Amino acid sequence: MVHRVASRLSCMADRIRSHCSILRQIVPGSMFRCFAQDHEELAGVWAGTTGTAEVWTLGAPIGTGESGSYHVTSAAGRRGACKPAFASDTTARAAHEKIAADLAHSLKLSVPACCLWTDQATGKQYSISMWAFSQADTWAQVLPTLSRTFLTNAAPAFAAARVFHTWIADHDHAGHGGNVVVDLTSSEAKPGVAFIDHAFSLSRVPGFDSHPVAPLAIHYIPPELESRSAIQQMCLYINDLEDTMIEGIVRRVPAEFLPLDKADVIIKGLLRRRQELPRAFGVGT
Amino acid sequence: MSTITQAAFAPASLRILEISYHCDLTQVGGRVIPLGVLVDLRVAGLYGLGLVARQTLTEEEACHVGALIRPRIATPFAYLSSIYDEVFDASSPGSVFETLPDRHNLSLAFTLAGAARAVSLPLPAKRSVAARRSWAIDELQSAGNEAYWHMFGEGDPVEVEKAVKEQTRAEAA
């Protein structure tokens, strides 16, 4: 019985990979990702490593500091947002941000680039995320002003993100208007949205490596606008990632940012959960 | 009796939010366009709120503002008045005022200018509610205008026509 199930899953995986190779030739690689060229150049560098070669200086809290985030600037004048490595409940915030950003980079999804950083002045550890856009506001603030055309054209990115956030069990993206940012220099014809704050996902979620996958509900945009083709494409993209790539993204996070037992849970969960995505979203068997 | 009256009133607490638009979040030294200030004052069951903001941006400034928000930011006082009204009409306006820096900390940024300031009440303001209201309006105007003019630096326009509004209301203790 177990052997037959494993055999069926293997065949399904082969069919998915074959289908995906064909899709990759048809679907533009940047379909769900909309960052400026200089952002993407740095993102390419940061996606290939965990740390940063630049010298950074910690700044003031962002807002009143309730989010626990801080401004940070590099010696070259680049600005970012950083978060302490661990939350008060021991959630490996920085590691989760880094893993989510690197996975999203592979999937061409709009999550800003992220690296891990130890402040030499204090020895404290953080994640640093790039600001997504030169001019931005949160979805919560901008939504009342957005046209139906904007929402329609942004729908594929939101659909793809819904699959991604389901995969990594990021329930914080279930309608949290502060976790999506809008590019204020974009237009309704070519809207720019990015997804931020993935700290409370992955190993923070009980049963991440064992519980069945249940898709996040549709939030942010009207349900009738959701793009089913984007759902299918992202399910295929995620299942097309090599196991070794996923493991490598997680394993290279240093143990001081991500305890080994949590890394094991994350890898096991990501590899298992992705196989359930097509069924969970009704786009495959 | 005068001593008891004076003893009953703690100093007023005054806070100032500087409101600006950041044209480049990604780089140090990105252009920052001053828009205005929001000031609140709390004393003895009275809440006061003031807004001092520019009527319009210059054409040159507006060109640097993203198209999605330009129509609103181009007339700062009109746009910020809606946020003013949201604060003033809230059941707990001081609490809503406090949320603004966290709600607006990207391109449109509300930044607390220093710590809350303690302001001593003059005797008439301690003895009369009407005098206290009048004094509160004066304090909001004075602090608001001073903070407004200090927002502008070397690279900012010289002619910055402003609009103002101040109101007070009773606040539950």
Side-chain angles (χ1 to χ4, degrees), chain A residues 62-66 73 76-79 131 133-138 141 145-146 150 181-186, chain B residues 21-29 64-70 72 79 98 101-108 110:
Chain A
I62 294 177
T64 59
E66 269 206 33
T73 57
R78 194 188 313 276
R79 297 182 67 228
W131 290 110
F133 308 115
S134 61
Q135 297 185 28
D137 207 344
T138 63
Q141 295 299 323
T145 68
L146 297 177
F150 186 104
V181 291
V182 178
D183 181 357
L184 295 177
T185 69
S186 69
Chain B
Y21 188 83
H22 295 247
C23 298
D24 190 350
L25 295 167
T26 65
Q27 289 289 330
V28 170
H64 288 89
V65 176
L68 280 185
I69 198 172
R70 190 182 304 135
R72 287 173 281 142
Y79 173 62
E98 286 168 14
D102 281 324
R103 283 169 47 191
H104 300 284
N105 57 33
L106 296 175
S107 281
L108 179 64
F110 284 58

Side-chain angles (χ1 to χ4, degrees), chain A residues 60-224:
Chain A
I62 294 177
T64 59
E66 269 206 33
S67 68
S69 301
Y70 296 85
H71 290 286
V72 64
T73 57
S74 77
R78 194 188 313 276
R79 297 182 67 228
C82 77
K83 289 183 181 174
F86 293 92
S88 55
D89 64 357
T90 74
T91 296
R93 295 173 67 177
H96 290 171
E97 295 282 11
K98 175 60 176 168
I99 291 167
D102 289 351
L103 290 172
H105 182 264
S106 299
L107 296 166
K108 300 291 187 286
L109 188 64
S110 274
V111 174
C114 178
C115 68
L116 301 175
W117 175 59
T118 299
D119 184 357
Q120 296 302 319
T122 62
K124 292 184 178 176
Q125 292 154 334
Y126 302 89
S127 63
I128 296 177
S129 294
M130 293 181 66
W131 290 110
F133 308 115
S134 61
Q135 297 185 28
D137 207 344
T138 63
W139 185 259
Q141 295 299 323
V142 178
L143 179 58
T145 68
L146 297 177
S147 68
R148 182 115 177 143
T149 303
F150 186 104
L151 299 179
T152 300
N153 290 331
F158 278 103
R162 188 159 81 95
V163 177
F164 178 74
H165 292 132
T166 298
W167 183 38
I168 68 171
D170 193 328
H171 302 284
D172 232 14
H173 277 86
H176 188 325
N179 286 344
V180 181
V181 291
V182 178
D183 181 357
L184 295 177
T185 69
S186 69
S187 65
E188 62 176 21
K190 287 192 70 177
V193 295
F195 306 94
I196 63 171
D197 198 351
H198 298 89
F200 295 143
S201 63
L202 300 168
S203 68
R204 186 181 191 260
V205 181
F208 179 73
D209 59 340
S210 58
H211 288 183
V213 170
L216 295 178
I218 300 173
H219 295 283
Y220 302 114
I221 60 168
E224 67 272 17

